[in-house]
Amino acid sequence: MSGHMTPEEFRRYGRQVIDWIADYQENVGSCPVRSRVEPGDVMAALPDHPPERGEGFEAVLADLDRVIMPGVTHWQHPGFFGYFPANASGPAILGDLLSSGLGLVGMMWATSPAATELETRVADWLAELLGLPDRFRGKGVIQDSASSAALVAMLAALHRADGGRPARSGITRRHTVYISSQTHSAVEKAARITGIGSANVRLVDVDPRTLAMDPSHLDALLAEDVAAGAVPAMVCATIGTTSTTAVDPVRAIGEVCAKYGVWLHVDAAYAGVAAVCPEMRWINDGLDGHVDSYATNPHKWLLTNFDCSVLWMADPEPMIGALSILPEFLRNKATESGQVIDYRDWQIPLGRRFRALKLWSVIRWYGAEGLREHVRTGIRLAQELASWIRDEPGWELLEPHPFGLVCFRPVWDGLDGDEADAATLELLERVNASGELFLIHTKAHGHVVLRLAIGGPATQESHVRTAWARIRKERLGVRG
Protein backbone atom coordinates (compact mmCIF):
# COMPACT_ATOMS: atom_id res chain seq x y z
CA MET A 1 0.00 0.00 0.00
CA SER A 2 1.31 3.44 -0.87
CA GLY A 3 0.15 6.97 -1.62
CA HIS A 4 -1.74 9.52 0.40
CA MET A 5 -4.87 8.62 2.34
CA THR A 6 -7.86 9.67 0.26
CA PRO A 7 -10.74 11.65 1.74
CA GLU A 8 -12.91 8.54 1.54
CA GLU A 9 -10.29 6.44 3.34
CA PHE A 10 -9.96 9.18 5.93
CA ARG A 11 -13.71 9.11 6.52
CA ARG A 12 -13.71 5.33 6.94
CA TYR A 13 -10.72 5.14 9.27
CA GLY A 14 -11.67 8.34 11.02
CA ARG A 15 -14.99 6.82 12.06
CA GLN A 16 -13.11 3.81 13.40
CA VAL A 17 -10.80 6.05 15.41
CA ILE A 18 -13.70 8.06 16.85
CA ASP A 19 -15.46 4.81 17.76
CA TRP A 20 -12.25 3.51 19.35
CA ILE A 21 -11.90 6.66 21.49
CA ALA A 22 -15.57 6.57 22.49
CA ASP A 23 -15.27 2.90 23.46
CA TYR A 24 -12.13 3.68 25.43
CA GLN A 25 -13.84 6.48 27.36
CA GLU A 26 -16.81 4.23 28.06
CA ASN A 27 -14.75 1.28 29.28
CA VAL A 28 -11.58 2.78 30.74
CA GLY A 29 -12.85 2.14 34.26
CA SER A 30 -12.47 -1.62 33.70
CA CYS A 31 -8.72 -1.32 33.02
CA PRO A 32 -6.04 -1.47 35.71
CA VAL A 33 -5.11 2.17 36.24
CA ARG A 34 -1.34 1.74 36.18
CA SER A 35 0.42 -0.04 33.34
CA ARG A 36 1.77 -3.45 34.33
CA VAL A 37 4.47 -3.83 31.70
CA GLU A 38 8.12 -4.19 32.63
CA PRO A 39 10.86 -1.95 31.19
CA GLY A 40 11.48 -2.90 27.56
CA ASP A 41 8.23 -4.83 27.03
CA VAL A 42 6.75 -2.34 24.58
CA MET A 43 10.03 -2.02 22.67
CA ALA A 44 10.27 -5.81 22.40
CA ALA A 45 6.84 -5.95 20.77
CA LEU A 46 7.78 -3.38 18.13
CA PRO A 47 9.71 -4.26 14.95
CA ASP A 48 13.36 -3.28 14.89
CA HIS A 49 12.98 -1.66 11.45
CA PRO A 50 10.31 0.43 9.74
CA PRO A 51 8.15 -1.18 7.02
CA GLU A 52 9.42 -0.97 3.45
CA ARG A 53 5.89 -0.83 2.05
CA GLY A 54 3.01 1.09 3.56
CA GLU A 55 0.58 -0.87 5.72
CA GLY A 56 -3.14 -0.46 6.12
CA PHE A 57 -4.52 1.56 8.99
CA GLU A 58 -6.24 -1.55 10.31
CA ALA A 59 -2.77 -2.80 11.23
CA VAL A 60 -2.10 0.41 13.16
CA LEU A 61 -5.32 0.02 15.15
CA ALA A 62 -4.61 -3.66 15.79
CA ASP A 63 -1.15 -2.87 17.17
CA LEU A 64 -2.59 -0.03 19.19
CA ASP A 65 -4.57 -2.62 21.12
CA ARG A 66 -1.89 -5.33 21.09
CA VAL A 67 1.29 -3.32 21.77
CA ILE A 68 0.50 0.18 22.96
CA MET A 69 -2.44 -0.22 25.33
CA PRO A 70 -0.70 -2.62 27.75
CA GLY A 71 1.93 0.10 28.24
CA VAL A 72 -0.57 2.88 28.99
CA THR A 73 -1.28 4.28 32.43
CA HIS A 74 -4.86 5.47 32.21
CA TRP A 75 -4.97 9.14 33.19
CA GLN A 76 -8.69 9.30 32.31
CA HIS A 77 -9.55 6.37 34.60
CA PRO A 78 -12.02 7.32 37.36
CA GLY A 79 -9.52 5.84 39.83
CA PHE A 80 -6.59 7.95 38.63
CA PHE A 81 -5.75 10.16 41.61
CA GLY A 82 -2.03 10.74 40.95
CA TYR A 83 -0.34 14.05 40.18
CA PHE A 84 -3.19 16.41 39.19
CA PRO A 85 -6.17 15.82 36.88
CA ALA A 86 -5.36 15.79 33.16
CA ASN A 87 -8.87 16.25 31.85
CA ALA A 88 -9.69 15.07 28.33
CA SER A 89 -13.29 15.89 27.50
CA GLY A 90 -15.19 15.20 24.29
CA PRO A 91 -15.39 18.86 23.19
CA ALA A 92 -11.65 19.34 23.77
CA ILE A 93 -10.73 16.19 21.83
CA LEU A 94 -12.91 17.30 18.92
CA GLY A 95 -11.44 20.80 19.05
CA ASP A 96 -7.96 19.30 18.90
CA LEU A 97 -9.04 17.13 15.97
CA LEU A 98 -10.23 20.22 14.11
CA SER A 99 -6.90 21.90 14.82
CA SER A 100 -5.05 18.87 13.45
CA GLY A 101 -7.31 18.77 10.42
CA LEU A 102 -6.67 22.40 9.56
CA GLY A 103 -2.94 21.82 9.99
CA LEU A 104 -2.11 25.50 10.20
CA VAL A 105 0.88 27.07 11.93
CA GLY A 106 -0.35 30.21 13.68
CA MET A 107 3.01 31.78 14.41
CA MET A 108 1.93 35.23 13.21
CA TRP A 109 -1.34 37.01 12.58
CA ALA A 110 -0.58 36.93 8.86
CA THR A 111 -0.21 33.13 8.78
CA SER A 112 -3.85 32.71 9.93
CA PRO A 113 -5.65 35.71 11.43
CA ALA A 114 -8.34 33.52 13.00
CA ALA A 115 -5.76 31.58 15.03
CA THR A 116 -4.47 34.77 16.63
CA GLU A 117 -7.74 36.58 17.16
CA LEU A 118 -9.58 33.54 18.56
CA GLU A 119 -6.71 32.98 21.00
CA THR A 120 -6.82 36.59 22.20
CA ARG A 121 -10.59 36.41 22.62
CA VAL A 122 -10.67 33.03 24.36
CA ALA A 123 -7.91 34.12 26.77
CA ASP A 124 -10.09 37.12 27.63
CA TRP A 125 -13.08 34.82 28.11
CA LEU A 126 -11.08 32.74 30.55
CA ALA A 127 -9.84 35.83 32.37
CA GLU A 128 -13.47 36.91 32.80
CA LEU A 129 -14.56 33.45 33.95
CA LEU A 130 -11.79 33.46 36.59
CA GLY A 131 -12.35 37.06 37.69
CA LEU A 132 -8.81 38.16 36.82
CA PRO A 133 -7.93 41.88 36.86
CA ASP A 134 -8.83 43.95 33.80
CA ARG A 135 -5.18 44.80 33.15
CA PHE A 136 -4.65 41.25 31.88
CA ARG A 137 -7.31 41.61 29.18
CA GLY A 138 -5.98 41.44 25.65
CA LYS A 139 -2.65 40.17 26.99
CA GLY A 140 -3.12 36.41 27.22
CA VAL A 141 -1.33 33.68 25.28
CA ILE A 142 -1.67 29.88 25.27
CA GLN A 143 1.58 28.08 26.10
CA ASP A 144 2.13 24.33 26.10
CA SER A 145 2.66 24.16 29.87
CA ALA A 146 3.21 26.21 33.00
CA SER A 147 6.90 25.32 32.69
CA SER A 148 7.10 27.23 29.41
CA ALA A 149 5.06 30.04 30.95
CA ALA A 150 7.58 30.33 33.79
CA LEU A 151 10.47 30.39 31.33
CA VAL A 152 8.86 33.11 29.21
CA ALA A 153 8.10 35.12 32.36
CA MET A 154 11.70 34.78 33.55
CA LEU A 155 13.09 35.93 30.21
CA ALA A 156 10.80 38.95 30.34
CA ALA A 157 11.79 39.66 33.94
CA LEU A 158 15.50 39.40 33.07
CA HIS A 159 15.01 41.71 30.10
CA ARG A 160 13.35 44.34 32.27
CA ALA A 161 15.77 44.00 35.17
CA ASP A 162 18.84 44.57 33.02
CA GLY A 163 17.53 47.03 30.45
CA GLY A 164 17.47 44.51 27.62
CA ARG A 165 21.20 43.79 27.81
CA PRO A 166 20.92 39.97 28.27
CA ALA A 167 19.25 39.63 24.86
CA ARG A 168 22.02 41.64 23.20
CA SER A 169 25.16 40.81 25.16
CA GLY A 170 24.31 37.92 27.46
CA ILE A 171 24.21 37.97 31.24
CA THR A 172 27.07 40.05 32.60
CA ARG A 173 25.88 40.56 36.17
CA ARG A 174 24.63 38.30 38.93
CA HIS A 175 20.85 37.95 38.82
CA THR A 176 18.75 36.22 41.45
CA VAL A 177 15.41 34.40 41.48
CA TYR A 178 13.27 33.73 44.57
CA ILE A 179 11.18 30.64 45.23
CA SER A 180 10.16 28.52 48.22
CA SER A 181 10.82 24.86 48.91
CA GLN A 182 7.29 24.22 47.60
CA THR A 183 7.70 26.00 44.26
CA HIS A 184 7.59 23.80 41.16
CA SER A 185 10.98 22.64 39.88
CA ALA A 186 10.17 24.29 36.53
CA VAL A 187 11.30 27.63 37.93
CA GLU A 188 14.75 26.36 38.81
CA LYS A 189 14.94 24.74 35.37
CA ALA A 190 14.04 28.10 33.82
CA ALA A 191 16.89 29.68 35.79
CA ARG A 192 19.27 27.12 34.32
CA ILE A 193 18.01 27.67 30.78
CA THR A 194 18.17 31.47 30.99
CA GLY A 195 21.73 31.35 32.32
CA ILE A 196 20.86 32.73 35.74
CA GLY A 197 21.88 29.39 37.20
CA SER A 198 20.65 27.22 40.05
CA ALA A 199 23.14 28.75 42.47
CA ASN A 200 21.32 32.08 42.14
CA VAL A 201 17.90 30.61 42.92
CA ARG A 202 17.26 31.74 46.47
CA LEU A 203 15.07 29.65 48.78
CA VAL A 204 12.55 31.60 50.82
CA ASP A 205 11.29 30.15 54.10
CA VAL A 206 7.72 28.89 54.39
CA ASP A 207 5.18 29.07 57.16
CA PRO A 208 5.76 25.83 59.09
CA ARG A 209 2.02 25.17 59.33
CA THR A 210 0.65 26.17 55.91
CA LEU A 211 3.86 25.76 53.85
CA ALA A 212 3.16 29.14 52.24
CA MET A 213 6.02 31.52 51.38
CA ASP A 214 7.13 33.90 54.16
CA PRO A 215 7.12 37.50 52.82
CA SER A 216 9.32 38.78 55.66
CA HIS A 217 12.08 36.31 54.78
CA LEU A 218 11.71 37.25 51.11
CA ASP A 219 12.24 40.88 52.10
CA ALA A 220 15.36 39.97 54.07
CA LEU A 221 16.84 37.92 51.21
CA LEU A 222 16.21 40.70 48.70
CA ALA A 223 17.84 43.28 50.97
CA GLU A 224 20.84 41.01 51.48
CA ASP A 225 21.29 40.30 47.78
CA VAL A 226 20.89 43.90 46.67
CA ALA A 227 23.46 44.97 49.26
CA ALA A 228 25.81 42.33 47.83
CA GLY A 229 25.45 43.76 44.33
CA ALA A 230 23.05 41.24 42.84
CA VAL A 231 20.22 42.28 40.53
CA PRO A 232 17.00 40.46 41.55
CA ALA A 233 15.14 39.31 38.45
CA MET A 234 12.01 37.45 39.52
CA VAL A 235 9.97 36.16 42.44
CA CYS A 236 7.60 33.23 41.85
CA ALA A 237 4.57 32.92 44.10
CA THR A 238 2.34 29.86 43.84
CA ILE A 239 -1.40 29.44 44.17
CA GLY A 240 -1.80 25.72 44.84
CA THR A 241 1.64 24.14 45.13
CA THR A 242 2.19 20.73 43.57
CA SER A 243 2.94 18.87 46.79
CA THR A 244 0.10 20.08 49.00
CA THR A 245 -1.73 22.95 47.20
CA ALA A 246 -0.35 25.55 49.62
CA VAL A 247 -1.30 29.12 48.67
CA ASP A 248 1.35 31.80 48.92
CA PRO A 249 0.25 35.25 50.21
CA VAL A 250 0.38 37.01 46.85
CA ARG A 251 -0.64 40.45 48.10
CA ALA A 252 2.07 40.60 50.79
CA ILE A 253 4.66 39.14 48.40
CA GLY A 254 3.66 41.73 45.81
CA GLU A 255 4.24 44.54 48.26
CA VAL A 256 7.77 43.27 48.87
CA CYS A 257 8.38 42.97 45.11
CA ALA A 258 7.16 46.52 44.55
CA LYS A 259 9.60 47.77 47.19
CA TYR A 260 12.53 46.35 45.21
CA GLY A 261 11.10 46.66 41.71
CA VAL A 262 11.20 42.90 41.16
CA TRP A 263 9.07 41.01 38.65
CA LEU A 264 6.38 38.88 40.34
CA HIS A 265 5.21 35.79 38.49
CA VAL A 266 2.27 33.84 39.90
CA ASP A 267 2.11 30.13 39.11
CA ALA A 268 -1.48 28.93 39.53
CA ALA A 269 -1.06 25.98 37.18
CA TYR A 270 -3.45 23.65 39.01
CA ALA A 271 -5.58 25.71 41.36
CA GLY A 272 -6.09 28.91 39.36
CA VAL A 273 -9.06 27.54 37.43
CA ALA A 274 -10.92 27.01 40.73
CA ALA A 275 -11.69 30.75 40.56
CA VAL A 276 -14.31 29.91 37.93
CA CYS A 277 -16.43 29.41 41.09
CA PRO A 278 -17.19 32.78 42.75
CA GLU A 279 -16.78 31.25 46.21
CA MET A 280 -13.17 30.38 45.31
CA ARG A 281 -12.19 33.88 44.15
CA TRP A 282 -10.31 34.39 47.40
CA ILE A 283 -7.36 32.76 45.65
CA ASN A 284 -7.13 35.87 43.45
CA ASP A 285 -6.27 38.11 46.40
CA GLY A 286 -3.36 40.31 45.41
CA LEU A 287 -3.60 39.82 41.65
CA ASP A 288 -4.82 43.40 41.37
CA GLY A 289 -1.57 44.56 42.97
CA HIS A 290 2.04 44.09 41.91
CA VAL A 291 1.75 41.00 39.69
CA ASP A 292 3.54 41.06 36.35
CA SER A 293 2.57 37.64 34.99
CA TYR A 294 0.06 34.94 35.85
CA ALA A 295 -0.40 31.40 34.51
CA THR A 296 -2.97 28.65 34.95
CA ASN A 297 -3.61 25.37 33.11
CA PRO A 298 -7.03 24.55 31.66
CA HIS A 299 -5.44 21.19 30.77
CA LYS A 300 -5.41 20.15 34.40
CA TRP A 301 -8.81 20.75 35.99
CA LEU A 302 -10.82 22.61 33.37
CA LEU A 303 -11.77 19.83 30.98
CA THR A 304 -9.29 20.79 28.25
CA ASN A 305 -6.88 18.07 27.15
CA PHE A 306 -3.13 18.59 27.28
CA ASP A 307 -1.50 20.87 26.25
CA CYS A 308 -3.11 24.20 27.13
CA SER A 309 -1.60 26.62 29.65
CA VAL A 310 -2.64 30.27 29.59
CA LEU A 311 -0.17 33.01 30.49
CA TRP A 312 -1.20 36.62 31.01
CA MET A 313 1.18 39.58 31.09
CA ALA A 314 0.39 42.92 32.73
CA ASP A 315 2.81 44.46 30.21
CA PRO A 316 3.88 42.28 27.27
CA GLU A 317 6.66 44.64 26.11
CA PRO A 318 9.54 43.15 28.16
CA MET A 319 8.56 39.68 26.89
CA ILE A 320 8.43 40.85 23.28
CA GLY A 321 11.72 42.68 23.71
CA ALA A 322 13.35 39.50 25.03
CA LEU A 323 11.94 37.14 22.40
CA SER A 324 11.32 39.06 19.17
CA ILE A 325 13.65 38.49 16.24
CA LEU A 326 12.42 39.49 12.78
CA PRO A 327 14.27 37.90 9.86
CA GLU A 328 13.38 39.01 6.35
CA PHE A 329 11.27 35.92 5.59
CA LEU A 330 8.87 36.81 8.43
CA ARG A 331 8.34 40.43 7.44
CA ASN A 332 4.80 41.31 6.36
CA LYS A 333 2.45 44.27 6.13
CA ALA A 334 0.31 43.29 9.14
CA THR A 335 3.31 43.00 11.47
CA GLU A 336 4.74 46.31 10.26
CA SER A 337 1.39 48.03 10.89
CA GLY A 338 1.72 47.40 14.64
CA GLN A 339 -2.01 46.62 14.79
CA VAL A 340 -1.79 42.86 15.35
CA ILE A 341 -0.35 40.38 17.83
CA ASP A 342 2.29 38.02 16.52
CA TYR A 343 2.28 35.23 19.10
CA ARG A 344 5.66 33.98 17.86
CA ASP A 345 7.07 36.76 20.08
CA TRP A 346 5.17 35.47 23.12
CA GLN A 347 6.73 31.99 23.33
CA ILE A 348 10.00 30.08 22.89
CA PRO A 349 9.45 28.29 19.53
CA LEU A 350 8.50 30.02 16.30
CA GLY A 351 5.80 27.54 15.24
CA ARG A 352 2.61 27.10 17.21
CA ARG A 353 -0.49 24.93 17.03
CA PHE A 354 -4.05 26.22 16.98
CA ARG A 355 -4.64 25.35 20.65
CA ALA A 356 -7.35 27.98 21.07
CA LEU A 357 -9.83 25.79 19.18
CA LYS A 358 -10.06 23.21 21.95
CA LEU A 359 -10.38 25.77 24.76
CA TRP A 360 -13.02 27.59 22.71
CA SER A 361 -14.86 24.30 22.20
CA VAL A 362 -14.78 23.49 25.92
CA ILE A 363 -16.03 26.89 27.06
CA ARG A 364 -18.83 26.89 24.51
CA TRP A 365 -19.91 23.30 25.30
CA TYR A 366 -19.93 23.56 29.10
CA GLY A 367 -20.54 27.25 29.64
CA ALA A 368 -19.67 28.88 32.94
CA GLU A 369 -22.26 26.74 34.76
CA GLY A 370 -20.85 23.45 33.53
CA LEU A 371 -17.26 24.43 34.33
CA ARG A 372 -18.25 25.49 37.83
CA GLU A 373 -20.11 22.25 38.42
CA HIS A 374 -17.07 20.21 37.45
CA VAL A 375 -14.74 22.10 39.79
CA ARG A 376 -17.27 22.07 42.63
CA THR A 377 -17.68 18.31 42.28
CA GLY A 378 -13.95 17.78 42.72
CA ILE A 379 -13.85 20.02 45.78
CA ARG A 380 -16.91 18.37 47.32
CA LEU A 381 -15.51 14.86 46.87
CA ALA A 382 -12.18 15.93 48.35
CA GLN A 383 -13.91 17.35 51.40
CA GLU A 384 -15.87 14.13 51.83
CA LEU A 385 -12.69 12.06 51.65
CA ALA A 386 -11.01 14.37 54.16
CA SER A 387 -13.90 13.88 56.57
CA TRP A 388 -13.57 10.08 56.33
CA ILE A 389 -9.83 10.27 57.01
CA ARG A 390 -10.33 12.68 59.89
CA ASP A 391 -12.82 10.31 61.53
CA GLU A 392 -10.65 7.19 61.09
CA PRO A 393 -8.27 6.40 63.98
CA GLY A 394 -4.65 5.87 63.00
CA TRP A 395 -4.57 8.38 60.18
CA GLU A 396 -3.25 11.93 59.99
CA LEU A 397 -4.83 14.49 57.65
CA LEU A 398 -2.82 17.41 56.28
CA GLU A 399 -4.69 20.68 56.65
CA PRO A 400 -5.78 22.82 54.85
CA HIS A 401 -7.10 21.16 51.68
CA PRO A 402 -9.25 23.76 49.89
CA PHE A 403 -9.16 22.27 46.38
CA GLY A 404 -9.38 18.73 44.97
CA LEU A 405 -6.20 17.38 46.60
CA VAL A 406 -6.12 15.56 49.93
CA CYS A 407 -2.79 14.70 51.58
CA PHE A 408 -2.71 12.21 54.45
CA ARG A 409 -0.60 9.49 56.02
CA PRO A 410 -1.02 6.43 58.22
CA VAL A 411 0.36 6.65 61.75
CA TRP A 412 2.27 3.41 62.28
CA ASP A 413 2.33 1.91 65.77
CA GLY A 414 5.90 1.56 66.96
CA LEU A 415 7.38 3.14 63.83
CA ASP A 416 8.67 6.62 63.21
CA GLY A 417 11.14 8.46 61.00
CA ASP A 418 12.56 6.48 58.09
CA GLU A 419 10.82 3.26 59.16
CA ALA A 420 7.42 4.93 59.11
CA ASP A 421 8.16 6.51 55.73
CA ALA A 422 9.23 3.13 54.32
CA ALA A 423 5.99 1.55 55.53
CA THR A 424 3.97 4.34 53.90
CA LEU A 425 5.80 3.85 50.61
CA GLU A 426 5.15 0.11 50.81
CA LEU A 427 1.48 0.87 51.31
CA LEU A 428 1.55 3.13 48.26
CA GLU A 429 3.05 0.39 46.11
CA ARG A 430 0.46 -2.15 47.26
CA VAL A 431 -2.37 0.30 46.51
CA ASN A 432 -1.08 1.06 43.02
CA ALA A 433 -0.46 -2.61 42.27
CA SER A 434 -4.12 -3.35 42.96
CA GLY A 435 -5.13 -1.74 39.66
CA GLU A 436 -8.11 -0.01 41.26
CA LEU A 437 -6.46 3.36 41.75
CA PHE A 438 -3.23 5.26 41.32
CA LEU A 439 -1.67 7.67 43.83
CA ILE A 440 1.71 9.31 44.28
CA HIS A 441 3.49 10.55 47.39
CA THR A 442 5.26 13.69 48.52
CA LYS A 443 7.00 14.89 51.66
CA ALA A 444 5.46 17.40 54.05
CA HIS A 445 6.44 18.37 57.59
CA GLY A 446 9.24 15.79 57.46
CA HIS A 447 6.99 12.83 56.63
CA VAL A 448 6.11 10.88 53.51
CA VAL A 449 2.45 11.56 52.81
CA LEU A 450 0.02 10.17 50.25
CA ARG A 451 -1.54 12.53 47.69
CA LEU A 452 -5.01 11.80 46.36
CA ALA A 453 -6.02 14.31 43.66
CA ILE A 454 -9.67 14.32 42.60
CA GLY A 455 -10.94 16.04 39.46
CA GLY A 456 -11.34 13.59 36.59
CA PRO A 457 -14.62 13.96 34.66
CA ALA A 458 -15.45 10.25 35.18
CA THR A 459 -14.70 10.23 38.93
CA GLN A 460 -17.75 9.89 41.16
CA GLU A 461 -18.24 9.45 44.89
CA SER A 462 -18.31 5.66 44.46
CA HIS A 463 -14.78 5.73 43.04
CA VAL A 464 -13.51 7.80 45.95
CA ARG A 465 -15.16 5.41 48.44
CA THR A 466 -13.59 2.45 46.65
CA ALA A 467 -10.20 4.15 46.78
CA TRP A 468 -10.44 4.83 50.52
CA ALA A 469 -11.57 1.25 51.19
CA ARG A 470 -8.65 -0.15 49.18
CA ILE A 471 -6.14 2.08 50.99
CA ARG A 472 -7.40 0.92 54.38
CA LYS A 473 -7.36 -2.71 53.26
CA GLU A 474 -3.80 -2.54 51.93
CA ARG A 475 -2.64 -0.89 55.14
CA LEU A 476 -3.60 -4.05 56.99
CA GLY A 477 -1.40 -6.05 54.63
CA VAL A 478 1.60 -3.84 55.34
CA ARG A 479 1.12 -4.00 59.06
CA GLY A 480 0.65 -7.76 58.91
Side-chain angles (χ1 to χ4, degrees):
M1 181 178 295
S2 61
H4 299 300
M5 185 179 284
T6 67
E8 184 53 42
E9 288 172 327
F10 180 79
R11 287 188 182 94
R12 182 167 73 252
Y13 295 127
R15 293 186 187 103
Q16 292 179 32
V17 169
I18 292 292
D19 285 343
W20 189 97
I21 294 171
D23 288 344
Y24 174 72
Q25 291 182 323
E26 189 173 28
N27 300 311
V28 64
S30 63
C31 303
V33 186
R34 188 178 69 174
S35 170
R36 290 174 168 168
V37 301
E38 296 297 327
D41 283 355
V42 176
M43 286 279 287
L46 294 166
D48 290 336
H49 306 287
E52 182 65 28
R53 297 177 61 84
E55 301 174 344
F57 205 77
E58 291 92 346
V60 175
L61 290 175
D63 281 351
L64 177 65
D65 290 328
R66 181 182 66 86
V67 179
I68 304 302
M69 292 307 290
V72 168
T73 290
H74 300 283
W75 286 66
Q76 306 310 314
H77 193 291
F80 184 94
F81 301 113
Y83 305 101
F84 282 128
N87 293 168
S89 67
I93 294 168
L94 293 176
D96 232 3
L97 177 61
L98 290 170
S99 177
S100 296
L102 287 170
L104 62 86
V105 181
M107 55 193 180
M108 299 182 295
W109 184 90
T111 58
S112 275
T116 294
E117 297 190 14
L118 179 63
E119 184 160 338
T120 304
R121 178 65 76 206
V122 83
D124 281 352
W125 279 7
L126 185 59
E128 180 179 335
L129 287 167
L130 302 182
L132 300 184
D134 287 343
R135 62 199 178 93
F136 289 136
R137 306 300 166 89
K139 302 169 186 175
V141 56
I142 300 177
Q143 305 282 343
D144 56 4
S145 65
S147 298
S148 291
L151 176 56
V152 168
M154 192 174 295
L155 287 166
L158 189 60
H159 186 86
R160 189 180 75 179
D162 220 358
R165 282 184 291 273
R168 296 190 303 270
S169 309
I171 295 177
T172 57
R173 298 192 285 175
R174 181 190 173 216
H175 291 275
T176 46
V177 171
Y178 301 82
I179 64 174
S180 82
S181 61
Q182 306 301 302
T183 305
H184 197 282
S185 58
V187 180
E188 182 178 346
K189 181 180 284 189
R192 294 184 183 186
I193 295 170
T194 58
I196 290 173
S198 293
N200 291 315
V201 176
R202 304 281 272 150
L203 210 57
V204 184
D205 290 345
V206 297
D207 181 301
R209 185 183 65 85
T210 65
L211 302 180
M213 183 182 285
D214 178 1
S216 63
H217 189 233
L218 172 64
D219 195 334
L221 285 179
L222 281 162
E224 176 186 328
D225 291 341
V226 169
V231 180
M234 190 179 89
V235 174
C236 181
T238 306
I239 296 173
T241 58
T242 301
S243 278
T244 66
T245 62
V247 177
D248 290 338
V250 172
R251 185 173 298 281
I253 291 170
E255 291 169 358
V256 175
C257 290
K259 177 180 174 181
Y260 295 92
V262 184
W263 186 288
L264 175 56
H265 176 64
V266 177
D267 177 4
Y270 161 67
V273 299
V276 73
C277 304
E279 66 271 21
M280 297 299 293
R281 296 269 168 88
W282 58 269
I283 66 174
N284 291 346
D285 181 50
L287 296 185
D288 56 349
H290 184 87
V291 173
D292 295 288
S293 52
Y294 178 87
T296 192
N297 292 356
H299 71 226
K300 280 190 168 68
W301 201 7
L302 208 65
L303 298 162
T304 307
N305 52 295
F306 188 84
D307 53 358
C308 183
S309 177
V310 185
L311 169 68
W312 289 271
M313 290 279 180
D315 177 11
E317 288 309 310
M319 170 185 61
I320 295 171
L323 296 174
S324 181
I325 298 175
L326 188 59
E328 188 62 35
F329 61 82
L330 292 180
R331 294 184 181 276
N332 63 87
K333 186 180 296 186
T335 295
E336 291 170 0
S337 75
Q339 297 179 323
V340 301
I341 292 174
D342 284 335
Y343 277 126
R344 68 184 182 86
D345 297 331
W346 295 49
Q347 61 174 25
I348 303 302
L350 172 62
R352 63 197 328 269
R353 298 189 300 109
F354 197 175
R355 295 186 186 95
L357 270 178
K358 60 186 172 187
L359 184 55
W360 186 53
S361 300
V362 166
I363 294 173
R364 294 190 66 182
W365 176 270
Y366 288 97
E369 290 182 349
L371 297 174
R372 290 177 190 134
E373 176 60 26
H374 176 64
V375 170
R376 283 170 177 156
T377 296
I379 294 173
R380 175 180 58 80
L381 293 177
Q383 297 307 316
E384 288 186 15
L385 172 63
S387 71
W388 304 335
I389 297 169
R390 191 182 296 112
D391 293 342
E392 184 82 11
W395 293 85
E396 183 179 282
L397 177 68
L398 189 67
E399 305 274 12
H401 41 81
F403 306 109
L405 175 71
V406 181
C407 294
F408 57 101
R409 73 182 188 99
V411 179
W412 302 99
D413 292 339
L415 299 180
D416 57 18
D418 291 345
E419 290 183 334
D421 286 349
T424 302
L425 290 172
E426 183 184 345
L427 168 61
L428 175 65
E429 180 55 35
R430 290 175 64 95
V431 165
N432 288 342
S434 73
E436 290 187 4
L437 67 154
F438 178 78
L439 310 179
I440 65 167
H441 76 282
T442 190
K443 272 200 166 183
H445 305 302
H447 303 290
V448 169
V449 298
L450 305 178
R451 294 174 75 264
L452 196 153
I454 301 170
T459 301
Q460 301 175 7
E461 182 177 334
S462 60
H463 301 110
V464 181
R465 286 190 179 277
T466 297
W468 177 228
R470 171 59 71 173
I471 292 166
R472 292 160 64 208
K473 177 181 178 180
E474 296 300 341
R475 173 184 175 155
L476 295 175
V478 174
R479 297 189 70 180

